[in-house]
Amino acid sequence: MALLTPLFAFLYHLPQVYKWLLKPYYVASLFMSIAFLMVRKTPGICEHLSTQREDGNSCDFDWREVEILMFLSAIVMMKNRRAITVEQHVGNIILFSKVANVILFFRLDIRMGLLYLTLCIVFLMTCKPPLYMGPEYIKYFSDKTIDEELEKDSRVTWVVEFFANWSPECQSFASIYADLSLKYNCAGLKFGKMDVGRYGEVSKKFKVSTSPLSKQLPSLVLFQGGKEVMRRPQVDKKGRAVSWSFTEENIIREFNLNELYQKSKKLSKGKAEKFPPVPEEEEVEPESEPKEEESETKKDK
């Protein structure tokens, strides 16, 4: 059953996956992920490779290579148990396939291993995964305008995502956050994004660590009256992020979005509304308020 569930999910989203795979980034990643397989199985090349098979067939995997590939499959299945979106599933497969290719090429020939590793580094430095470009109703802040926007109207509730473009988790979360903005944005409930990968001083001000090991990207923070009310993931006293799954259902429940939306959409300029209750946070330190600039964009596919 553990194998069937991701398989059915993949088949269900196959049309969407097909679109991604046609993008240059994913086409290149796919070829790099199966590079060792192509080298080992291509006639005219595989005959010149070394092998540990007893029958001397250098065009087939030896027992150690099969062992490495099985270990890779186990790791991918474990990682994908916590994956939320299809992008994360595909990203995990590509990432660990490249890791396995590095090991297999180094084991086969150190020169081939160095060449493949160099290609991976160059690819990582020059090619970025395509960003989400679908419809959304989100304001993008800068370090100059975030405080101003959050404090401009005390009746407006803000849900702000602190993200970095280089973070795979943020890239995967982009479509989920965009869908939430389309469903819940109204006069009294707005959605914003702050690129803390670009504005380091803002990340310090809001205590959002941009370290790849911090597990704080993305961070969702709810502001009411310009003040932070809650955030996910929470951060413990040692500054470590408490594990939390960024699914649409979790966000709607934890941030009480349905009730916030019902009360906030009635907001009019002449009449102040009382904020709906939000679940209290346990030991989450209030964050200082930011300054931000926004570019309100509603993109149509």
Side-chain angles (χ1 to χ4, degrees):
M1 194 64 189
L3 291 172
L4 291 177
T5 301
L7 176 61
F8 288 145
F10 177 80
L11 293 175
Y12 177 78
H13 293 93
L14 190 57
Q16 188 178 0
V17 173
Y18 181 70
K19 286 182 181 179
W20 297 334
L21 294 181
L22 290 180
K23 295 180 179 179
Y25 173 85
Y26 289 111
V27 170
S29 293
L30 180 61
F31 276 109
M32 292 186 68
S33 299
I34 61 174
F36 185 82
L37 174 64
M38 292 190 298
V39 169
R40 179 59 90 182
K41 293 292 185 178
T42 302
I45 298 178
C46 61
E47 290 89 348
H48 304 287
L49 303 177
S50 61
T51 182
Q52 294 184 3
R53 289 178 61 90
E54 293 182 0
D55 59 6
N57 182 7
S58 61
C59 291
D60 205 354
F61 297 117
D62 60 40
W63 67 272
R64 181 64 71 183
E65 290 168 349
V66 172
E67 199 175 57
I68 292 171
L69 292 172
M70 292 297 292
F71 183 64
L72 162 71
S73 302
I75 293 177
V76 169
M77 284 192 291
M78 290 174 60
K79 290 291 291 183
N80 278 347
R81 288 174 61 186
R82 300 185 62 183
I84 302 169
T85 64
V86 179
E87 293 101 316
Q88 287 178 320
H89 284 280
V90 175
N92 285 336
I93 293 172
I94 290 174
L95 172 63
F96 289 103
S97 295
K98 290 177 181 176
V99 172
N101 272 269
V102 170
I103 297 171
L104 291 168
F105 274 122
F106 266 107
R107 182 177 173 275
L108 184 65
D109 188 319
I110 190 170
R111 292 169 297 180
M112 296 181 73
L114 288 171
L115 175 61
Y116 183 82
L117 182 60
T118 302
L119 287 175
C120 288
I121 294 173
V122 171
F123 181 80
L124 181 65
M125 295 176 64
T126 58
C127 300
K128 302 297 180 185
L131 300 178
Y132 174 78
M133 297 299 291
E136 61 184 23
Y137 202 85
I138 296 172
K139 288 192 174 183
Y140 287 79
F141 299 133
S142 75
D143 58 339
K144 307 291 184 187
T145 58
I146 181 169
D147 281 338
E148 178 186 342
E149 285 298 332
L150 294 178
E151 297 172 358
K152 188 185 330 187
D153 190 340
S154 62
R155 300 168 298 171
V156 174
T157 298
W158 281 95
V159 180
V160 180
E161 178 197 356
F162 294 87
F163 74 103
N165 281 326
W166 52 260
S167 167
E169 289 78 11
C170 294
Q171 293 162 7
S172 299
F173 180 60
S175 60
I176 297 175
Y177 192 59
D179 287 342
L180 288 170
S181 74
L182 294 173
K183 292 176 182 176
Y184 290 99
N185 185 81
C186 62
L189 178 59
K190 296 185 178 181
F191 292 77
K193 292 183 82 166
M194 181 71 232
D195 188 352
V196 289
R198 180 180 178 186
Y199 300 106
E201 63 280 2
V202 176
S203 69
K204 294 176 183 176
K205 189 172 187 178
F206 285 91
K207 299 184 176 70
V208 178
S209 173
T210 55
S211 166
L213 303 177
S214 73
K215 306 294 185 184
Q216 290 187 41
L217 293 175
S219 281
L220 273 188
V221 182
L222 183 74
F223 294 93
Q224 289 182 333
K227 305 293 183 182
E228 178 182 330
V229 176
M230 65 177 293
R231 72 164 56 198
R232 291 293 183 272
Q234 291 177 287
V235 180
D236 62 23
K237 293 180 178 179
K238 295 183 179 180
R240 296 174 301 191
V242 179
S243 180
W244 195 71
S245 181
F246 280 86
T247 63
E248 185 170 322
E249 295 76 14
N250 279 352
I251 296 168
I252 292 172
R253 182 181 64 253
E254 295 281 325
F255 286 80
N256 205 17
L257 288 185
N258 286 323
E259 187 174 350
L260 280 172
Y261 176 72
Q262 292 301 323
K263 294 192 176 184
S264 298
K265 71 179 181 178
K266 301 174 183 177
L267 178 64
S268 63
K269 291 184 178 180
K271 186 178 179 181
E273 291 279 341
K274 204 172 183 179
F275 288 124
V278 175
E280 291 186 3
E281 291 284 276
E282 301 175 3
E283 307 235 356
V284 175
E285 296 183 12
E287 315 257 302
S288 38
E289 298 113 327
K291 305 176 177 180
E292 265 197 344
E293 157 209 55
E294 328 177 66
S295 53
E296 191 170 315
T297 58
K298 187 167 186 181
K299 311 172 198 167
D300 291 318
K301 263 183 177 173

